[in-house]
Amino acid sequence: MATMKPPVPPARASQPRAPLPPRRATPRPPEPTRVPEPAAPSTAAAPPTAAAPTRKAPRVSVPSASVAPERAEPTKPVAAVVAVRRIFAAETGNYFLLLGTTLFLVAFGLVMVLSSSSIESYLQNDSDFFAAFSKQGLYALIGVPAMLLVSRLPLAFWKKWAWLFLIVAMGLQLLVFVPGIGWGYGGNTNWIRIAGISGQPSELVKTALIIWTAWVLWTKASLLNDWRHVLLPIAPVGGLAIGFVLLGGDLGTAIVMLSIVFGALFFAGVKIRFLVLPAIAVAAFGIIFALAGGSRSERISAWLGGCADVDTIDACWQPVHGTWALAAGGVFGVGLGNSKAKWSWLPEADNDYIFAIIGEELGLIGAIVVLALFIVLAFSFIRIIRSTDDQFSRIATSGVMIWIIAQALINIAVVLGLLPVLGVPLPLISAGGSALISTLIAIGLVLSFARKPVVDDGFTPQTPAQQSRLAASERARSHR
């Protein structure tokens, strides 16, 4: 009987070699694609001693040269630097355009406050030329960080606390009528002093009124075709806030606040015919209030008479010397710091009439540069309005834009003699802590919208009044 031989496996020389496991020290370069080894014939079972069974090589993970080794956790200073970078990081060019223009105006204002207030500071503060400049610099050091921090607040924060902001601001405005706390200057009772710190609450009322008006118009966006929803509650609540300012005699600030409300209504999409009659009524009331008596009627009468009457020399002193300062500057100006009007000739040279000092020291070119900066600021606001789809953001941004640009135009028009003296400062440039800090906070509100394109976050009002307005809006949509 012939001995049965085990089948001979195919010659390994003619078969592709099995892949070798990679070595730990020097990994082999990748080889060409291999064909798997065919299985042995299944006619007979191979004895254990015929061929060694093929064992699957274990996988060995080889560290690649491109993979960095594990690093230790960063130290605390590095983490702090990263956190600060995240806080002040921006996502759009609109943010940088608005922020850069604002900071340039603030820096320019500090220089002009130093130049225009140095003589009066020397006379009133024991020969200290830098007293007013130091205060304004402190206000800027408070306002700029506040602007940057406010720019980090989410959209839902403003919508949630809109009512509270307005109530607190109006409460502070009422303090101007409390004896021992409120005080007046130049015929206006519009300041408070608490614990040695004085301020102008009407500046905070502007910011709060913008946030509240934007919230109301956003909540009733689908109901603005009905004049009753446009009228309520903006007319009574906004009228009350503006009325508190008028009670203090500050007509200029009241005009700016009225411009804010009407501008917000316009940008919210309210029909023009709903705004014509209220605008006429407000204008008629303003004329009656301005001519009712006091220093306002004297200033308006002197302005209407062209300051030609000798009896109006006191009311015309400031506008006439402001005009002379502008005329002395010419095209190129007399040079920074060389103004003659600031030597106690021009009242409020560092505040309401700082534009006259700019025209005198920097000339027509400097005045045009200031106008160009405010045009760039308006352009920044318009770009932000166009970049967002959220109605609240659009209305709030338009309110801040109307505030700053309208107030700047009013101030410049007063200095040029196109309007009577109203006591309105030049935003971001004139001396004054309340005005500067409040304006920077309002710009920070807009910067929070400019960080990235804002969409409606779906914030649902939580108070019963808010829920009722939302329900009325839903019913109006269902009937369409």
Side-chain angles (χ1 to χ4, degrees):
M1 181 176 180
T3 305
M4 188 176 181
K5 295 182 180 181
V8 181
R12 294 189 177 268
S14 61
Q15 302 292 334
R17 298 180 61 183
L20 297 177
R23 296 182 182 179
R24 293 180 179 271
T26 56
R28 295 174 61 88
E31 297 183 0
T33 307
R34 298 180 178 86
V35 179
E37 183 178 359
S42 58
T43 55
T49 57
T54 305
R55 291 182 297 175
K56 192 174 183 180
R59 275 188 173 182
V60 180
S61 59
V62 180
S64 174
S66 61
V67 179
E70 294 184 0
R71 298 180 180 178
E73 292 187 1
T75 57
K76 289 184 178 180
V78 176
V81 170
V82 173
V84 170
R85 287 178 179 175
R86 289 179 180 176
I87 289 176
F88 299 109
E91 299 180 5
T92 64
N94 295 334
Y95 177 92
F96 285 114
L97 182 61
L98 178 58
L99 178 62
T101 308
T102 301
L103 294 179
F104 188 88
L105 280 169
V106 172
F108 179 78
L110 290 175
V111 174
M112 295 311 305
V113 166
L114 174 60
S115 176
S116 59
S117 66
S118 56
I119 303 302
E120 292 295 330
S121 296
Y122 179 83
L123 297 175
Q124 298 176 4
N125 297 279
D126 298 330
S127 304
D128 184 5
F129 286 101
F130 302 97
F133 170 75
S134 301
K135 290 182 180 180
Q136 191 70 6
L138 177 62
Y139 298 146
L141 289 177
I142 297 173
V144 171
M147 174 185 67
L148 295 175
L149 292 177
V150 166
S151 69
R152 300 297 304 177
L153 296 177
L155 184 62
F157 175 83
W158 306 110
K159 296 178 180 179
K160 183 177 181 180
W161 301 107
W163 268 105
L164 181 62
F165 292 151
L166 185 62
I167 292 173
V168 172
M170 292 173 65
L172 291 175
Q173 180 63 33
L174 287 176
L175 292 179
V176 303
F177 307 110
V178 177
I181 297 179
W183 59 284
Y185 175 77
N188 297 337
T189 306
N190 207 19
W191 285 264
I192 60 174
R193 182 183 288 112
I194 300 176
I197 301 175
S198 61
Q200 195 171 2
S202 59
E203 298 294 331
L204 295 177
V205 175
K206 293 177 187 176
T207 306
L209 185 62
I210 289 172
I211 298 172
W212 177 82
T213 305
W215 176 82
V216 170
L217 294 175
W218 166 75
T219 306
K220 308 176 75 171
S222 61
L223 305 175
L224 297 181
N225 290 328
D226 188 347
W227 66 271
R228 292 168 295 183
H229 288 282
V230 175
L231 185 65
L232 299 174
I234 291 179
V237 178
L240 188 64
I242 297 172
F244 288 162
V245 177
L246 281 177
L247 286 177
D250 195 348
L251 181 60
T253 302
I255 291 175
V256 174
M257 294 173 68
L258 283 170
S259 302
I260 291 172
V261 174
F262 279 96
L265 290 171
F266 174 79
F267 279 92
V270 176
K271 296 178 179 179
I272 300 297
R273 67 172 183 269
F274 293 165
L275 304 178
V276 173
L277 290 179
I280 295 174
V282 168
F285 176 78
I287 294 173
I288 295 173
F289 181 83
L291 298 176
S295 61
R296 291 186 304 274
S297 61
E298 294 179 4
R299 294 195 298 263
I300 294 175
S301 299
W303 172 71
L304 292 174
C307 291
D309 192 352
V310 180
D311 296 334
T312 61
I313 185 65
D314 293 335
C316 290
W317 181 275
Q318 190 177 28
V320 166
H321 282 81
T323 303
W324 289 352
L326 287 172
V331 177
F332 300 102
V334 298
L336 188 64
N338 295 327
S339 169
K340 296 180 176 62
K342 68 182 181 182
W343 288 74
S344 302
W345 288 104
L346 179 61
E348 303 295 334
D350 62 339
N351 198 332
D352 298 348
Y353 269 76
I354 195 171
F355 188 76
I357 304 299
I358 293 173
E360 182 183 9
E361 295 186 349
L362 303 180
L364 178 63
I365 295 177
I368 292 176
V369 169
V370 173
L371 289 173
L373 287 173
F374 281 105
I375 291 174
V376 173
L377 202 66
F379 179 70
S380 305
F381 288 128
I382 293 174
R383 283 177 58 92
I384 294 171
I385 292 173
R386 292 173 58 87
S387 66
T388 178
D389 295 329
D390 181 68
Q391 185 76 348
F392 177 87
S393 304
R394 295 167 65 92
I395 299 172
T397 303
S398 66
V400 177
M401 178 182 68
I402 294 296
W403 168 10
I404 296 176
I405 302 305
Q407 185 167 320
L409 293 178
I410 291 173
N411 176 274
I412 294 172
V414 167
V415 174
L416 296 176
L418 302 177
L419 288 176
V421 178
L422 295 174
V424 174
L426 188 61
L428 302 174
I429 296 180
S430 293
S434 303
L436 179 62
I437 294 174
S438 299
T439 306
L440 289 174
I441 290 176
I443 293 176
L445 168 68
V446 179
L447 288 175
S448 67
F449 307 145
R451 285 194 165 271
K452 57 184 177 181
V454 180
V455 296
D456 197 338
D457 59 354
F459 172 74
T460 304
Q462 298 299 323
T463 65
Q466 295 169 353
Q467 292 176 0
S468 64
R469 293 191 186 95
L470 185 61
S473 176
E474 294 295 334
R475 287 195 299 269
R477 291 194 189 100
S478 62
H479 290 320
R480 289 183 177 179

